[in-house]
């Protein structure tokens, strides 16, 4: 089963609209025509429309970094899946560890958000990953099993192939200390196994991205692992050439 790699750049809380436009122009200039790798940018909400317009027709996706499960309502500071679509987004990150830690994002909330994203026509990227403490305690597999099973618990089996999972060990995010390819592959293998329990052979179609200090220098080795189907890139996605280098590694 060949899965088209996805390289997504998570900008977190970086870039104004002007800076986002400059990035989009740079990315467009450097884009090849092969299309064997899907690229997506996850700008802050305020820049989604700017990036989506600047990249229209390029094949590059624009994803939100979060959204609420409800269609609308009294949720000050939140935005809905439909609002993301309205701004030009085609996907959404859900359950990033920074949101789990800083904003009390729970597996229960994610169980509602993933189907809500699908219903709105967005590609959900469910982020999972263990802390250093959990890894040292030997509970990594249990943590990943719980996050995957609960996060996907309300997704109809027929829709699971549209979901993307991102494995991001918390200890590797923003630390410069990426997981080794062997450690990452082991975790991706566990996640694939869990997905097989949920949907049998459809699990072979589900893309599992690795995230955590991915950069041009380590991308090729990580992405050559059999169950690593792309990358969720933070710091190294803020520069178009660096993101393109990672996408090139995913293509090779
Ligand atoms: P990083 O971030 O590449 O800067 O480690 C990854 C992420 O948080 O998605």
């Amino acid at each position: 089963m060949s899965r088209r790699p996805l390289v997504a750049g998570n900008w977190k809380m970086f870039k104004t609209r002007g800076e986002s436009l400059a990035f989009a122009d740079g990315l467009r200039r450097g884009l090849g025509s092969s299309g064997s790798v899907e690229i997506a940018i996850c700008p802050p909400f305020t820049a989604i429309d700017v990036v989506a317009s600047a990249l229209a027709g390029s094949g590059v996706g624009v994803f939100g970094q979060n959204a609420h499960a409800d269609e609308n309502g009294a949720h000050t500071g939140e935005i809905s899946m439909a609002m993301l679509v309205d701004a030009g987004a085609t996907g959404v990150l859900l359950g990033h560890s920074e949101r789990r830690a800083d904003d009390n994002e729970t597996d229960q909330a994610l169980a509602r958000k993933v189907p809500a994203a699908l219903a709105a026509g967005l590609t959900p990227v469910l982020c999972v990953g263990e802390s250093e403490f959990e890894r040292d305690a030997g509970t990594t597999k249990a943590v990943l099993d719980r996050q995957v099973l609960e996060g996907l618990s309300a997704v109809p089996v027929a829709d699971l192939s549209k979901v993307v999972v991102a494995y991001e060990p918390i200890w590797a995010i923003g630390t410069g200390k990426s997981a080794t390819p062997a450690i990452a592959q082991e975790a991706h293998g566990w996640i694939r196994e869990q997905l097989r329990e949920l949907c049998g052979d459809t699990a072979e179609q589900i893309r599992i991205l690795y995230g955590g200090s991915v950069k041009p220098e380590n991308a090729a080795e990580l992405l050559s692992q059999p169950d690593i189907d792309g990358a969720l890139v933070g710091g190294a996605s803020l520069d178009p050439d660096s993101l393109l280098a990672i996408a090139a590694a995913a293509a090779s």
Side-chain angles (χ1 to χ4, degrees):
M1 168 61 59
S2 68
R3 296 174 287 266
R4 186 177 176 219
L6 168 63
V7 171
N10 174 14
W11 285 358
K12 310 191 180 187
M13 200 172 72
F14 289 95
K15 293 196 191 290
T16 60
R17 289 159 67 86
E19 290 162 350
S20 301
L21 187 57
F23 176 101
D25 288 344
L27 188 72
R28 246 201 133 102
R29 273 196 298 276
L31 272 179
S33 55
S34 98
S36 63
V37 175
E38 184 180 347
I39 298 177
I41 309 296
C42 318
F45 293 139
T46 46
I48 287 176
D49 63 340
V50 168
V51 176
S53 303
L55 292 172
S58 68
V60 175
V62 181
F63 290 10
Q65 298 177 15
N66 173 50
H68 200 280
D70 288 353
E71 277 175 34
N72 46 47
H75 302 299
T76 302
E78 294 285 340
I79 78 160
S80 71
M81 303 291 172
M83 289 168 188
L84 281 184
V85 173
D86 183 50
T90 51
V92 60
L93 302 182
L94 295 172
H96 189 281
S97 62
E98 286 153 15
R99 291 201 52 81
R100 291 179 189 258
D102 301 347
D103 301 282
N104 201 24
E105 184 91 273
T106 62
D107 290 320
Q108 291 71 26
L110 293 163
R112 293 190 59 227
K113 289 184 179 199
V114 179
L118 288 164
L122 294 166
T123 297
V125 181
L126 176 67
C127 304
V128 301
E130 81 288 1
S131 66
E132 189 157 35
F133 176 81
E134 289 162 335
R135 175 158 287 270
D136 290 346
T139 56
T140 298
K141 184 172 185 309
V143 168
L144 298 179
D145 283 355
R146 188 200 73 231
Q147 291 177 338
V148 169
L149 281 181
E150 292 199 19
L152 300 180
S153 57
V155 178
V157 170
D159 283 343
L160 280 169
S161 63
K162 298 179 202 156
V163 169
V164 176
V165 177
Y167 169 61
E168 298 202 298
I170 296 168
W171 45 270
I173 295 178
T175 59
K177 191 177 113 189
S178 157
T180 63
I183 286 178
Q185 168 56 33
E186 180 182 47
H188 282 232
W190 288 334
I191 293 169
R192 182 94 53 210
E193 216 174 85
Q194 198 54 253
L195 295 171
R196 243 180 247 120
E197 296 278 317
L198 281 178
C199 59
D201 288 347
T202 301
E204 305 304 322
Q205 297 171 37
I206 301 177
R207 291 178 292 182
I208 308 174
L209 315 184
Y210 169 77
S213 298
V214 177
K215 38 190 183 256
E217 298 76 36
N218 62 15
E221 211 188 351
L222 285 160
L223 289 159
S224 67
Q225 300 300 308
D227 286 295
I228 300 187
D229 309 315
L232 182 53
V233 186
S237 74
L238 294 169
D239 173 72
D241 293 333
S242 156
L243 188 68
L244 285 165
I246 293 168
S252 62

